[in-house]
Amino acid sequence: MKKSLMAPLMILGLCSTCLAALPQHPDISAIEEKLLEWVNMERTARDLNPLRFSQDLRNVAIKHSKDMASQRKLTHLSSSGKSYLDRLVEAGLYFIEIGENVAVSDTFDEEFIHQGFMESPEHRDNILNPEFDMIGIGVEYSEDQEYFVTQDFSQSLKLLETDEAEKFFQDEITKIRKENALPPLSFHAQAGAIARRQSRNRASGKPLQNIAGFFGETHIQFITTPMLVIPKNTSKEIAREIYEIGAVGAWFGRLADYPGGTYLITIFLFPMNPYEDMTEEDFSKIAIDAMNSKRNQKGIAPLKLDGRHSKKASDISSQLKVQQAKSYVLPGRLIGRQILSYVTDDPRVWPADLDPVITDPGLRRIGIGYPGTKLGSQADGDASADGESVPDARIHHQVNVLSNFAFESNI
């Protein structure tokens, strides 16, 4: 959030002869309207967009003018010590950039007051700031027969509902892909619910959720923007051809660096998996070759792939998937054999804590069960809007590849 320079302005009155020609005690709202006309004449003369009148800003401005009149003091601080920024936040307004002009004059001539602003560099910069699009003007006539004037400027912030913001960024991602002659990403709703939770945690200062075990290889982009813009470095990442699935989560809030409010966006980018369309036979061969390479390094005899064990491992994979269970009670006939279950997007990779089992010299035969599910599948249904009911994606969302291994010792 940028804040323009602000300085009080004392405007001296006209001569008594000039004042005699002016009507006495004009309508305050008429002065405010004329000052707005002068501001927009200056802007349109320089090919700048005219400012739109904001009743909310006018309420803040008139309150401050009344406060200055009661203090008999020209200042940007309220009687309680609050700045213009503080007053906007207190009023519940959202903004990107702000500026404020204040002045006191013993004449109500609008052109005279306006020229006083234009002859002051700081006040002129606010009037001609190309980023501003809203204005509110408040004038108060004091007991000392002086006119206290406040001009409050802002660059407005477009407010979207959470799902609208997420759809906006999805559309922007699609545009980036199209501009780079790349196919659009498929957006995964349940991964998006977790991305939304990440954004909400960022907004509230809570720790981010560890998603390392959920989706396999995931590239994450965090964006903080009040302007609904994707930064160049993020656009460059989105434009890489390796991605096929994405997820977007949005949240809106005020941060110390963005007191006027900002969108916090989390983008998940999932690379194409060269193994996801592989047959079970090919997948199993790559997996066992990788395990035997590990065993060979330790001088241990290779494992043999056992079809009977592989069928049982596949059956267990299917039951885990259908039951959406975090654990599976093994049938009695499997007692004495080890069943290991984990998620991987690469058959050559397994959790490091399984190394002692895979390199156990006592193991001889292995069965591999491979359902071959993809992240794009949404068999388990959509997540709730706030993401709270998202189950454990490591198994139940069929993220990447779910594998089960049945090991039998010295049989």
Side-chain angles (χ1 to χ4, degrees):
M1 193 281 298
K2 294 188 287 185
K3 185 169 61 174
S4 296
L5 293 174
M6 298 181 285
L9 179 66
M10 177 73 73
I11 301 176
L12 299 177
L14 298 172
C15 65
S16 57
T17 304
C18 298
L19 288 173
L22 295 172
Q24 299 298 310
H25 306 299
D27 179 53
I28 291 297
S29 61
I31 299 176
E32 295 170 354
E33 291 173 4
K34 286 292 185 180
L35 287 172
L36 175 57
E37 290 178 10
W38 278 106
V39 166
N40 281 333
M41 281 193 292
E42 298 286 1
R43 292 178 66 89
T44 55
R46 295 165 176 80
D47 293 325
L48 297 173
N49 291 330
L51 300 180
R52 302 193 307 275
F53 169 77
S54 165
Q55 184 61 51
D56 289 333
L57 288 180
R58 196 263 175 182
N59 293 341
V60 174
I62 190 61
K63 184 177 180 180
H64 186 60
S65 290
K66 290 179 179 293
D67 192 41
M68 288 192 295
S70 67
Q71 295 184 72
R72 299 181 177 180
K73 180 181 179 181
L74 186 64
T75 176
H76 285 287
L77 296 178
S78 69
S79 53
S80 59
K82 293 182 178 178
S83 67
Y84 174 41
L85 187 154
D86 297 330
R87 289 180 269 123
L88 287 178
V89 173
E90 184 179 57
L93 303 184
Y94 298 103
F95 48 86
I96 298 173
E97 183 177 353
I98 59 173
E100 181 174 76
N101 290 343
V102 295
V104 60
S105 172
D106 58 4
T107 175
F108 53 79
D109 182 81
E110 302 89 2
E111 182 179 2
F112 185 76
I113 295 171
H114 174 72
Q115 289 305 317
F117 281 135
M118 290 299 293
E119 291 170 5
S120 166
E122 295 90 348
H123 300 83
R124 177 189 176 93
D125 287 346
N126 280 337
I127 290 172
L128 301 179
N129 188 323
E131 303 300 330
F132 291 151
D133 55 9
M134 305 290 287
I135 187 173
I137 300 175
V139 178
E140 176 68 8
Y141 186 61
S142 73
E143 294 178 357
D144 296 333
Q145 299 183 339
E146 293 178 316
Y147 293 90
F148 284 86
V149 181
T150 302
Q151 293 179 330
D152 283 343
F153 305 85
S154 78
Q155 179 183 3
S156 57
L157 188 154
K158 186 176 182 179
L159 286 176
L160 299 176
E161 297 293 333
T162 299
D163 56 349
E164 291 177 327
E166 290 169 351
K167 180 62 166 58
F168 175 88
F169 278 94
Q170 288 177 0
D171 291 344
E172 291 299 299
I173 289 171
T174 299
K175 289 178 186 177
I176 292 170
R177 302 280 295 181
K178 185 176 181 180
E179 290 167 358
N180 288 273
L182 295 171
L185 299 182
S186 172
F187 291 101
H188 193 272
Q190 292 173 329
I194 297 177
R196 180 186 294 187
R197 188 183 301 171
Q198 297 287 69
S199 293
R200 184 177 61 191
N201 287 349
R202 290 176 60 216
S204 61
K206 294 180 179 178
L208 297 182
Q209 187 174 5
N210 183 358
I211 66 165
F214 279 65
F215 304 124
E217 182 178 358
T218 308
H219 295 193
I220 305 175
Q221 297 286 318
F222 293 121
I223 303 173
T224 303
T225 174
M227 302 178 70
L228 296 172
V229 172
I230 296 181
K232 289 183 178 179
N233 61 329
T234 301
S235 296
K236 185 177 179 180
E237 185 66 29
I238 291 169
R240 294 177 64 191
E241 62 180 346
I242 65 171
Y243 299 120
E244 64 173 349
I245 298 173
V248 177
W251 203 258
F252 184 86
R254 296 186 194 268
L255 303 181
D257 291 339
Y258 295 91
T262 188
Y263 293 95
L264 297 101
I265 308 298
T266 301
I267 299 175
F268 293 159
L269 299 170
F270 303 104
M272 291 180 281
N273 186 345
Y275 304 105
E276 65 190 5
D277 295 321
M278 185 172 287
T279 65
E280 182 171 355
E281 181 181 357
D282 289 340
F283 181 89
S284 299
K285 184 179 185 307
I286 292 174
I288 196 169
D289 285 349
M291 293 179 182
N292 282 334
S293 175
K294 189 81 170 179
R295 290 170 69 88
N296 184 58
Q297 293 172 14
K298 296 180 177 292
I300 303 171
L303 295 169
K304 293 182 179 181
L305 191 63
D306 185 289
R308 183 168 54 93
H309 291 346
S310 292
K311 183 180 185 306
K312 183 56 63 178
S314 293
D315 291 343
I316 293 172
S317 291
S318 299
Q319 292 183 57
L320 280 171
K321 194 169 55 177
V322 171
Q323 294 178 9
Q324 298 188 0
K326 291 188 177 181
S327 60
Y328 178 69
V329 179
L330 302 179
R333 62 180 176 275
L334 288 179
I335 293 175
R337 300 171 183 173
Q338 283 186 293
I339 305 296
L340 307 175
S341 177
Y342 63 90
V343 176
T344 181
D345 58 359
D346 186 335
R348 302 166 301 175
V349 177
W350 53 83
D353 57 1
L354 295 187
D355 276 350
V357 179
I358 290 171
T359 57
D360 184 344
L363 298 181
R364 290 291 182 266
R365 288 182 285 174
I366 182 175
I368 299 176
Y370 165 62
T373 54
K374 297 171 64 175
L375 177 65
S377 171
Q378 301 240 30
D380 297 333
D382 292 337
S384 65
D386 63 4
E388 290 299 339
S389 64
V390 178
D392 188 345
R394 284 169 292 187
I395 294 177
H396 316 314
H397 289 185
Q398 306 170 28
V399 176
N400 296 313
V401 179
L402 177 63
S403 303
N404 288 269
F405 293 84
F407 294 91
E408 184 174 356
S409 302
N410 294 324
I411 295 179

